[in-house]
Amino acid sequence: MKNGINRRRLLAGAAVGLVGASSQPVMAKLVSKGGGYEFEVQRTDAEWKEMLTPEEFEILRSGGTEAPKSSPYWENKETGIYSCKGCDLEVYDSQYKTQLDKGWVFFFHGIPNTVMFGIDKINPYGASDSATEGPAGHLIEAHCRRCGSHLGHVLQVGLFILHCINGTALDFEPKSA
Ligand SMILES: [Zn+2]
């Protein structure tokens, strides 16, 4: 697991470098969610599969949803920063985290300018008593501003708007006091 993470960080760093180098047309695949926005970090599916486990790829790149409580982060109470597993961008701060028994990782909001939104046509949670759904049952998707990877959804829970995030899509770095 540790080796996987280190290798991933290595690849992430290399890819960021390539994107910045104009002489390198290697990162050809355009990842765009519409609106003309181009993500800063772009990789081919082959490159994503090289750096991610199959489950991580399913969630980050195919919009999948992990089984509830499958990631230990759902009940993590440590102080620290959660970053996108696709590009290491710091996306959530533990001070904005809240814990719900639903078993995903919940935040009141992301770190400013890190999380973008889209429409997800599929409700991965099935019939739900608390998820706010549009007329067609669509949900608001939360994805990374830098690499576009799917992180989770934004839901209304009671009187709050919460980010319901897959722990599998995140890395956690404890904050040293
Ligand atoms: Zn990212």
Side-chain angles (χ1 to χ4, degrees):
M1 192 61 194
K2 259 284 178 256
N3 277 342
I5 286 172
N6 288 341
R7 175 163 171 69
R8 185 185 57 73
R9 288 193 185 281
L10 206 67
L11 285 167
V16 170
L18 285 176
V19 166
S22 56
S23 60
Q24 287 282 357
V26 181
M27 319 302 290
K29 187 178 179 190
L30 181 72
V31 183
S32 174
K33 299 260 178 178
Y37 184 84
E38 286 185 26
F39 294 105
E40 181 186 333
V41 172
Q42 299 182 18
R43 309 180 218 277
T44 64
D45 276 355
E47 288 164 337
W48 283 114
K49 283 175 179 168
E50 173 86 3
M51 62 174 276
L52 299 172
T53 67
E55 193 197 2
E56 289 165 357
F57 183 88
E58 173 63 24
I59 292 169
L60 288 163
R61 306 309 305 171
S62 300
T65 297
E66 69 194 11
K69 300 184 181 177
S70 62
S71 163
Y73 292 157
W74 82 273
E75 56 180 354
N76 183 21
K77 291 181 175 61
E78 280 187 271
T79 298
I81 297 292
Y82 295 84
S83 58
C84 168
K85 201 164 261 183
C87 71
D88 294 337
L89 180 66
E90 296 182 346
V91 284
Y92 292 103
D93 189 315
S94 63
Q95 68 176 305
Y96 308 129
K97 187 177 185 293
T98 185
Q99 187 177 318
L100 296 184
D101 197 49
K102 291 178 178 300
W104 289 287
V105 193
F106 287 88
F107 301 91
F108 289 102
H109 50 81
I111 293 172
N113 193 27
T114 62
V115 180
M116 296 176 75
F117 306 107
I119 296 293
D120 199 333
K121 293 193 171 74
I122 299 161
N123 181 348
Y125 311 108
S128 166
D129 54 348
S130 62
T132 300
E133 298 174 13
H138 298 174
L139 291 179
I140 298 173
E141 179 212 19
H143 61 265
C144 172
R145 183 259 295 161
R146 185 150 74 186
C147 73
S149 289
H150 173 85
L151 301 173
H153 296 94
V154 179
L155 310 173
Q156 181 179 353
V157 181
L159 291 176
F160 298 104
I161 298 291
L162 296 178
H163 293 220
C164 175
I165 303 301
N166 295 286
T168 306
L170 302 173
D171 277 325
F172 177 72
E173 190 75 39
K175 208 181 273 177
S176 47

